[in-house]
């Protein structure tokens, strides 16, 4: 959609999917000792404009704040977990905004649907797996491995 995307994931399969969707820089945290440094290197030392953490990992949450540039925004969408930040250097002195997001209102869901429709976003490409309700147990075993794209359980 025009943004330069840096994707992080511990799953090589998910990183490959991110590349298919247009991610320019791929980082596997299991293979990188300095995530924040790698992101800053990829952004000419400035840091990302925006970051999004969906993992709930305390370390990843802190890195999501620390990797953004001055006046950047970090967003947490992963449920649960804790994070420890040194508020002055991590946020205040850099004017970083931290946003938590859990769900959308019906108004925002409508805006998202219009955005997708207006731009022809191919949402179906996000789904790598489809199951029937009878296959739900099998689906959850695969979901728990956390190395695929999104899945959907369809009615029988």
């Amino acid at each position: 959609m025009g943004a330069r995307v840096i994707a992080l994931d511990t799953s090589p399969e998910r990183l490959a999917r991110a590349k298919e969707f247009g991610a320019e820089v791929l980082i596997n945290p299991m293979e990188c000792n300095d995530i924040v440094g790698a992101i800053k290197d990829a952004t000419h030392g400035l840091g990302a404009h925006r970051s999004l953490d969906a993992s709930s990992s305390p370390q990843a949450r802190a890195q999501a704040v620390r990797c953004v540039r001055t006046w950047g925004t970090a967003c947490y969408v992963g449920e649960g977990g804790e994070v420890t930040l040194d508020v002055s250097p991590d946020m205040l002195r850099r004017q970083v905004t931290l946003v938590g997001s859990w769900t959308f209102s019906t108004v925002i869901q409508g805006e998202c649907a219009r955005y997708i429709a207006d731009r022809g976003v191919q949402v179906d490409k996000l789904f790598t797996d489809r199951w029937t309700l009878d296959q739900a147990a099998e689906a959850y075993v695969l979901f728990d491995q956390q190395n695929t794209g999104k899945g959907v359980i369809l009615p029988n």
Side-chain angles (χ1 to χ4, degrees), residues 11-89:
S11 164
E13 294 87 357
R14 285 188 176 185
L15 285 173
R17 295 251 325 136
K19 182 136 182 99
E20 289 173 23
F21 278 101
E24 186 174 320
V25 178
L26 307 175
I27 300 171
N28 185 331
M30 303 300 284
E31 299 170 358
C32 180
N33 293 328
D34 182 8
I35 301 299
V36 173
I39 292 169
K40 288 191 175 184
D41 286 348
T43 58
H44 310 289
L46 297 173
H49 289 279
R50 310 270 185 272
S51 70
L52 176 78
D53 175 71
S55 73
S56 300
S57 157
Q59 183 178 9
R61 284 182 166 178
Q63 291 165 337
V65 171
R66 293 176 181 140
C67 79
V68 296
R69 62 183 61 201
T70 298
W71 297 101
T73 300
C75 180
Y76 294 165
V77 298
E79 189 75 43
E82 296 182 10
V83 65
T84 300
L85 298 170
D86 191 345
V87 174
S88 288

Side-chain angles (χ1 to χ4, degrees), residues 122-150:
Q122 300 296 314
V123 176
D124 286 344
K125 289 183 179 180
L126 295 173
F127 295 95
T128 57
D129 301 284
R130 289 167 177 77
W131 295 275
T132 63
L133 193 54
D134 296 340
Q135 298 170 308
E138 175 187 340
Y140 279 100
V141 168
L142 186 62
F143 289 160
D144 199 38
Q145 294 174 15
Q146 298 183 359
N147 60 11
T148 63
K150 299 296 179 190

